[in-house]
């Protein structure tokens, strides 16, 4: 924490928290963060950001960035806001060394009847898919025995034909985690956009952004959404449909899987990140 000669007080306005914040922090941690923010304690930021926040509040504006470590989860709870001070939004900056959980959904067609051999085959298929990005998007990957509290078989695999209920629970948990990741990136994008530039074109609402390299966070959040829409694999997509080559399932694909669960398998892996490979 950086001490200032005169403590300023920031108006909170409407306080919002993303699903990611609600999931990994306690109510006490959130209360402490909001209280510190309202009393002009900007947390774990540099001297320049601290002074910039003080100046903004003293002139009737809103602080640009505040950051605190949530001790319960080890995540960094932060407020990054370029919007009017009528809204205080909190989101999570993931610890880049903590890694990511990923569920890969594969076709189980042609697998051996022997469960152990089938699990080996699914793991081999998953590893082959992940190998090309090793060293670029993540430093290592390995199968996990459970994901989001749901147990798996050897090699982090669960065959749909084994346990349809558990299979669907894994898909649901992975989809919910993906929704939280999408929400995080939307919040990050909105916090960097000039919403006064929003306009209506036909039935669409458009807010232009300029990607000229001056705002790396805006660029990263924007490119993340573009990549997700195009089907590009990203470490924090949480779930990836291997044969369909996309991370987001439409209604047709979800219905297809639900009708023939025995024809699919999932493999859960942990992607470990080095600091220079971290996602925003």
């Amino acid at each position: 924490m950086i001490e200032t000669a005169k403590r300023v007080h920031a108006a909170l306005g409407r306080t919002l928290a993303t699903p990611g914040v609600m999931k990994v922090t306690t109510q006490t941690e959130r209360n402490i963060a909001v209280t510190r923010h309202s009393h002009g304690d900007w947390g774990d930021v540099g001297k320049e950001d601290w002074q910039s926040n003080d100046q903004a509040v003293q002139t009737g504006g809103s602080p640009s960035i505040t950051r605190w470590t949530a001790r319960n989860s080890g995540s960094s709870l932060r407020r990054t806001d370029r919007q009017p001070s009528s809204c205080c939004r909190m989101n999570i900056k993931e610890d880049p060394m903590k890694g990511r959980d990923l569920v890969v959904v594969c076709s189980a067609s042609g697998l051996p009847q022997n469960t152990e051999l089938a699990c080996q085959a699914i793991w081999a298929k998953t590893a082959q898919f992940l190998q090309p990005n090793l060293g670029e998007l993540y430093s290592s990957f390995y199968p996990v025995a459970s994901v989001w509290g749901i147990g798996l078989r050897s090699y982090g695999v669960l065959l749909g034909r084994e346990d349809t209920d558990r299979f669907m629970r894994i898909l649901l948990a992975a989809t919910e985690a993906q929704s939280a990741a999408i929400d995080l990136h939307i919040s990050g994008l909105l916090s960097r956009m000039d919403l006064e530039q929003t306009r209506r074109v036909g039935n669409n609402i458009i807010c232009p952004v300029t990607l000229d390299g001056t705002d790396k966070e805006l660029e990263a959040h924007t490119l993340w959404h573009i990549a997700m829409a195009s089907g590009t694999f990203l470490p924090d997509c949480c779930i990836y449909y291997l044969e369909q080559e996309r991370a987001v399932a439409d209604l047709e694909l979800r219905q297809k899987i639900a009708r023939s669960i025995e024809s699919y398998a999932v493999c859960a892996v942990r992607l470990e990140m080095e600091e220079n490979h971290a996602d925003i």
Side-chain angles (χ1 to χ4, degrees):
M1 179 193 305
I2 298 174
E3 295 294 337
T4 55
K6 183 180 180 181
R7 182 60 55 84
V8 298
H9 292 269
L12 289 176
R14 183 186 181 194
T15 303
L16 305 175
T18 66
V21 169
M22 301 301 290
K23 182 177 181 180
V24 304
T25 63
T26 66
Q27 182 64 53
T28 298
E29 287 173 331
R30 295 191 293 273
N31 288 343
I32 291 173
V34 169
T35 300
R36 289 176 62 182
H37 173 84
S38 68
H39 286 82
D41 179 351
W42 314 129
D44 309 321
V45 300
K47 182 178 180 179
E48 186 176 326
D49 283 329
W50 190 288
Q51 292 175 342
S52 175
N53 286 346
D54 278 351
Q55 184 178 8
V57 173
Q58 288 167 354
T59 56
S62 176
S64 296
I65 181 169
T66 53
R67 180 183 291 111
W68 312 272
T69 299
R71 304 298 176 188
N72 181 59
S73 65
S75 296
S76 176
L77 179 64
R78 61 179 188 156
R79 176 188 182 275
T80 50
D81 200 356
R82 300 296 188 271
Q83 301 179 57
S85 57
S86 60
C87 176
C88 176
R89 183 188 300 273
M90 292 183 289
N91 55 50
I92 288 292
K93 173 72 173 181
E94 294 285 356
D95 180 349
M97 297 304 293
K98 290 177 65 176
R100 309 279 187 178
D101 288 325
L102 171 71
V103 166
V104 179
V105 183
C106 309
S107 169
S109 177
L111 289 179
Q113 287 302 308
N114 179 278
T115 298
E116 185 68 16
L117 292 178
C119 289
Q120 289 181 21
I122 291 296
W123 165 244
K125 186 187 296 189
T126 301
Q128 183 179 20
F129 163 67
L130 294 172
Q131 189 67 35
N133 290 314
L134 184 62
E136 182 178 353
L137 297 181
Y138 33 83
S139 59
S140 64
F141 63 86
Y142 51 86
V144 294
S146 66
V147 64
W148 298 298
I150 306 171
L152 299 148
R153 282 193 171 271
S154 56
Y155 303 100
V157 173
L158 180 68
L159 304 173
R161 70 193 189 197
E162 288 185 281
D163 191 329
T164 57
D165 179 67
R166 190 152 40 119
F167 183 90
M168 291 305 297
R169 283 168 52 211
I170 289 174
L171 287 189
L172 178 60
T175 302
E176 289 178 345
Q178 184 182 84
S179 295
I182 292 172
D183 183 85
L184 172 65
H185 286 281
I186 288 176
S187 296
L189 181 60
L190 289 175
S191 73
R192 315 295 296 192
M193 294 169 61
D194 181 4
L195 298 182
E196 292 183 357
Q197 300 297 318
T198 301
R199 63 179 185 271
R200 182 180 292 277
V201 178
N203 293 325
N204 300 311
I205 297 177
I206 296 176
C207 184
V209 297
T210 301
L211 304 182
D212 56 7
T214 59
D215 191 331
K216 297 298 184 183
E217 188 169 339
L218 172 65
E219 184 174 303
H221 287 302
T222 302
L223 294 179
W224 188 91
H225 285 289
I226 293 173
M228 284 286 283
S230 66
T232 302
F233 168 67
L234 297 170
D236 60 344
C237 67
C238 302
I239 183 170
Y240 193 81
Y241 300 87
L242 191 58
E243 282 77 22
Q244 290 76 23
E245 298 184 340
R246 54 177 154 159
V248 181
D250 57 20
L251 179 60
E252 182 181 358
L253 178 57
R254 292 198 301 268
Q255 291 177 338
K256 180 180 179 181
I257 293 174
R259 288 194 301 265
S260 55
I261 295 176
E262 68 283 353
S263 300
Y264 292 90
V266 293
C267 182
V269 298
R270 184 72 168 169
L271 306 176
E272 295 291 351
M273 318 289 183
E274 295 293 351
E275 187 167 358
N276 60 339
H277 296 144
D279 299 309
I280 287 180

